[in-house]
Amino acid sequence: MNKELVIKAAGPEIVIAQLEDRKLTELNREKSNNSFSVGDIYLGRVRKVMPGLNAAFVDVGYEKDAFLHYLDLGPQVQSLIKFTAQGLAGKLSSASLEHFTNEPDIRKDGKITQVLNNSMSVLVQIAKEPISTKGPRISSELSLAGRYLVLVPFSDKISVSQKIKDPEEKNRLKRLIQSIRPPGFGVIIRTVASNKKVAELDQDLNELVQRWEQLVKNLPTAQPKNKVLGEINRTSALLRDVLNDSFQSIAVDDTSIFNEVRSYIAHIAPDKEKIVKHYKGKEDIFESFGIDRQIKAAFGQNVSLKSGAYLIIQHTEAMHVIDVNSGHRTRSDNDQETNALDTNMEAAHEIARQLRLRDMGGIIVIDFIDMHSPQNRKVLFDKLKELMAQDRAKHTILPPSKFGLIQITRQRVRPELVIETLEKCPSCGGSGQIQPSILVTDEIENNLRYIVTEQNQKKLKLLVNPILEAYIKRGWPSMQMRWWLKYRTWVRVRPVPSYHFLEYHFLNQLDEEIKL
C-alpha cells in the first residue's frame, strides 16, 4: 500500500491529510493556539473533590475544570505527589529517580479523598482534549511517548505491545530494554520497535529521559495552571506514530514547516529524509492532490459508494448512527442475499475509512442491510474487524445483533472532525436575492482601480471561479489585456474550482489577500 502525507500550512492551522493509494483516509487539524493537546503535562490545582463520583475537578487553566477520576490517578500517584512537592520547593538536585524512594501503590478500590484534597497541586497529563461542553479529561499517571518507546516514571515494569506476536522478538526487546532502562522508570515498547537495534532504542530512550529532565527543570518556577511540559506538535506526533516503510511521499507547501518536518524525519528515520518534498506549485496543494474534492465527497450526511449504494451518517449527543442503503442499483443476476452481502462488504470498507477520517468516537451503531444467512453475517463481521485493525484508536466491535446491528466503541481523545460540505447558494448568499451577475466584472474592475491607484499595488493575482476566469481571458483584446492597457498592471488570473460563481479575491505579490 502506497501512503502519502500532504501538509497544508495556511491560516491559523496546519491541515495534515493522509492518503492510502491516493485515497484520503485521515485528516488532522493542528491549531496554532491549541493549548490542551493530548500528552501535555500541567501543574493542576484541585478545585473540588467529589466523593460521590470518586473523582476530582482540577483547574488547568481551561474555562471548564478538568475531570480526574480515581482510576486515572495511577498506582504510583503518591510518589508523583511527593516528587512534585519536592520539585516545587526546589529540593530536587537531580531528575534521576535512582535514589528516590517510591511511596506504596494506592489501592484499586480506594477513595479519592484518601489521595487528594482541595487546593492541592498535582502534575496531570491531558488524556482527552476538551470536547463539546466538557473540559479536558486528565490522568496523573504520566508517560512520555517516543518513536519506539514510552517512558513511565515511578515504575519498574517493562511491557511489550500486544501487536508484536513473535515470542522471541518480545524476549529480545525486553532483555535490551532491561539493560539500558534508567532506574526508577518503566518502559512500554511500541509496535514499531520490532526488529530495531539497541542503538536506535537507546537513542530514543535518552531523548525521553532528556524530556523528563526538562520537566523537572521547569518545576521550581511552575505555578498552578501552567503547562510544565508540552507534547510535540501534532505534525511531528503524527509522523512519529505512523511513519513506516510504506510511506512514499510527504509534501509540504510551507518553507518553515518543510524544514521542520525534514529535520524531524532526518532525526527519527534518516533513510526517509528524501521523501519530504517542498510543494511550490501555483495551485493550492490540496487542489493539486485532489484532496479538496475528496473532502467534499466524504464529509456530510450522505456518502455515496461506487456501486450506487450510500451511507447516511448522523451524529447525536449520545452516539453516532450509520445506515447502509442499497440505493436502486443491484445486480439483477444475483439474489437478494448476495446483493445485500456485496453492498454490506463495500459499505464496511467505507465505514472503516469514515471512522478514521472523521475521528468518530464513543458509541457507533451501524445498521447494515439485513442478511438471513448466519455465515454471511460472520463474513461481514470478520471483514469489518480486519479493516478496523488498521485503526490506531482503541476500539471494540460487537457481533451483529438479532436485528442486524453492529455496535462499535471507539476511543475518543479529541473533538470529532466536522467539515461543513453544504455551501451557501453562490447566487443569493442565502438571502433569496442576487446582484446582477453581469455586473461582477464591473465590481472587480472597480476594486482593481482602487488597489492600483489608491494602494499603489502593482503585482497582483486574481483568484476566481474557472468560468469567470475563462470569461476574463477570452477574446482579443481580452478583459485581462484591457486592464493592462488601462492600468499598466498585468493581473494574473488563476482559477479556483472550489469558489462559487461570483466569488473572487485579490492577492498581493506575497500571496496575501488584499482586504477590500
Side-chain angles (χ1 to χ4, degrees):
M1 183 181 292
N2 181 12
K3 292 185 179 181
E4 300 172 90
L5 277 186
V6 181
I7 303 173
K8 176 182 177 180
E13 62 183 8
I14 298 173
V15 187
I16 309 161
Q18 181 175 325
L19 307 177
E20 294 180 1
D21 294 330
R22 306 293 291 184
K23 192 169 185 179
L24 182 65
T25 56
E26 287 190 34
L27 197 64
N28 291 270
R29 287 182 165 179
E30 178 187 354
K31 294 184 178 179
S32 57
N33 60 352
N34 186 13
S35 301
F36 296 93
S37 298
V38 174
D40 287 348
I41 297 175
Y42 281 79
L43 181 64
R45 171 165 285 171
V46 178
R47 177 88 73 173
K48 192 173 185 180
V49 177
M50 305 289 289
L53 297 174
N54 206 18
F57 288 99
V58 181
D59 185 7
V60 291
Y62 188 67
E63 57 190 78
K64 296 271 189 177
D65 289 337
F67 184 77
L68 178 62
H69 193 272
Y70 181 84
L71 297 177
D72 294 322
L73 291 175
Q76 278 292 334
V77 64
Q78 297 286 21
S79 300
L80 175 64
I81 292 172
K82 173 183 170 183
F83 188 86
T84 303
Q86 292 180 4
L88 293 173
K91 296 180 180 180
L92 293 176
S93 58
S94 166
S96 171
L97 298 179
E98 183 173 4
H99 302 296
F100 180 79
T101 304
N102 282 351
E103 296 295 305
D105 289 4
I106 62 172
R107 295 170 50 192
K108 291 183 179 179
D109 57 350
K111 302 297 182 183
I112 194 83
T113 51
Q114 299 169 339
V115 182
L116 301 180
N117 52 59
N118 292 338
S119 301
M120 175 185 287
S121 294
V122 60
L123 283 177
V124 293
Q125 190 165 29
I126 304 296
K128 287 184 180 180
E129 294 179 9
I131 297 174
S132 185
T133 59
K134 301 175 182 176
R137 181 75 182 259
I138 56 178
S139 168
S140 55
E141 190 170 14
L142 306 186
S143 62
L144 304 176
R147 177 152 170 76
Y148 305 119
L149 308 171
V150 178
L151 190 67
V152 183
F154 313 110
S155 174
D156 58 1
K157 295 180 181 178
I158 298 177
S159 307
V160 184
S161 167
Q162 294 181 354
K163 293 183 180 179
I164 300 178
K165 303 297 184 183
D166 185 0
E168 291 186 8
E169 179 61 14
K170 280 189 173 183
N171 291 332
R172 183 188 76 90
L173 289 169
K174 278 189 174 181
R175 289 196 304 270
L176 284 179
I177 297 304
Q178 186 62 51
S179 65
I180 61 177
R181 175 180 66 90
F185 291 92
V187 175
I188 301 171
I189 302 171
R190 306 183 71 176
T191 307
V192 289
S194 182
N195 299 316
K196 297 300 178 183
K197 298 179 181 179
V198 65
E200 295 175 279
L201 301 178
D202 186 51
Q203 180 183 359
D204 196 42
L205 185 61
N206 287 336
E207 290 171 0
L208 294 177
V209 171
Q210 289 174 14
R211 294 192 65 211
W212 171 256
E213 290 172 348
Q214 184 62 49
L215 181 149
V216 175
K217 183 180 177 181
N218 294 342
L219 265 182
T221 57
Q223 298 294 325
K225 302 190 290 186
N226 280 6
K227 184 190 294 187
V228 182
L229 186 70
E231 171 66 297
I232 60 177
N233 61 58
R234 183 81 62 87
T235 310
S236 298
L238 186 67
L239 292 171
R240 177 193 68 195
D241 294 340
V242 307
L243 188 68
N244 56 42
D245 292 337
S246 62
F247 273 91
Q248 303 297 319
S249 171
I250 300 174
V252 191
D253 68 348
D254 180 82
T255 303
S256 61
I257 301 296
F258 164 73
N259 292 329
E260 178 186 325
V261 169
R262 187 173 61 174
S263 174
Y264 185 72
I265 292 290
H267 179 65
I268 66 170
D271 57 315
K272 287 285 183 181
E273 184 181 359
K274 293 181 180 178
I275 71 173
V276 185
K277 298 167 185 173
H278 189 192
Y279 176 80
K280 299 180 180 179
K282 296 178 180 178
E283 192 177 22
D284 180 273
I285 189 170
F286 274 16
E287 289 279 0
S288 178
F289 281 81
I291 294 171
D292 275 341
R293 181 180 292 273
Q294 291 195 55
I295 290 174
K296 293 287 186 183
F299 287 85
Q301 182 171 297
N302 288 26
V303 178
S304 300
L305 306 180
K306 285 185 178 180
S307 67
Y310 60 94
L311 309 177
I312 297 178
I313 303 176
Q314 294 185 323
H315 312 284
T316 71
E317 186 69 24
M319 66 179 68
H320 308 279
V321 181
I322 302 176
D323 185 32
V324 180
N325 291 271
S326 61
H328 299 291
R329 302 185 189 177
T330 55
R331 293 184 57 180
S332 57
D333 54 338
N334 287 337
D335 58 39
Q336 182 179 350
E337 183 79 5
T338 304
N339 281 330
L341 177 61
D342 291 344
T343 302
N344 284 339
M345 295 292 276
E346 183 185 17
H349 280 269
E350 183 61 27
I351 288 168
R353 171 180 174 245
Q354 286 287 333
L355 297 186
R356 294 170 59 191
L357 190 57
R358 303 188 188 209
D359 203 9
M360 293 161 61
I363 300 173
I364 301 110
V365 177
I366 307 168
D367 183 11
F368 284 101
I369 298 173
D370 289 342
M371 296 185 296
H372 300 292
S373 167
Q375 181 62 33
N376 286 343
R377 289 199 291 268
K378 185 178 185 307
V379 168
L380 174 62
F381 177 61
D382 291 341
K383 186 62 177 180
L384 189 59
K385 286 199 299 182
E386 176 191 331
L387 295 168
M388 289 290 292
Q390 303 173 31
D391 196 334
R392 290 182 292 118
K394 294 179 182 177
H395 59 270
T396 303
I397 308 175
L398 297 182
S401 70
K402 66 179 181 179
F403 299 115
L405 303 177
I406 288 183
Q407 300 172 66
I408 300 175
T409 59
R410 186 175 183 273
Q411 181 186 34
R412 177 167 59 180
V413 297
R414 297 185 181 90
E416 177 198 347
L417 182 60
V418 177
I419 295 178
E420 186 58 64
T421 58
L422 297 178
E423 298 178 354
K424 188 180 288 187
C425 173
S427 299
C428 71
S431 68
Q433 296 179 329
I434 66 169
Q435 70 178 69
S437 56
I438 196 171
L439 299 181
V440 67
T441 53
D442 292 345
E443 181 182 313
I444 291 174
E445 183 169 352
N446 287 336
N447 285 322
L448 173 62
R449 182 188 307 113
Y450 170 76
I451 291 169
V452 173
T453 59
E454 300 294 331
Q455 296 189 357
N456 199 30
Q457 302 265 14
K458 295 298 181 183
K459 295 183 179 180
L460 300 174
K461 184 186 293 184
L462 175 63
L463 307 183
V464 294
N465 179 278
I467 297 174
L468 196 53
E469 181 240 4
Y471 180 76
I472 292 172
K473 289 183 174 182
R474 76 170 185 172
W476 180 265
S478 65
M479 188 175 296
Q480 185 182 29
M481 178 63 72
R482 291 200 302 271
W483 288 345
W484 183 82
L485 293 172
K486 191 172 183 179
Y487 302 110
R488 290 299 171 183
T489 296
W490 183 255
V491 181
R492 293 177 293 161
V493 184
R494 297 285 182 264
V496 182
S498 60
Y499 281 12
H500 65 70
F501 178 59
L502 301 179
E503 183 177 1
Y504 65 92
H505 298 279
F506 281 100
L507 305 182
N508 61 22
Q509 59 185 349
L510 300 177
D511 280 347
E512 297 170 338
E513 183 179 352
I514 300 172
K515 300 297 182 181
L516 297 170

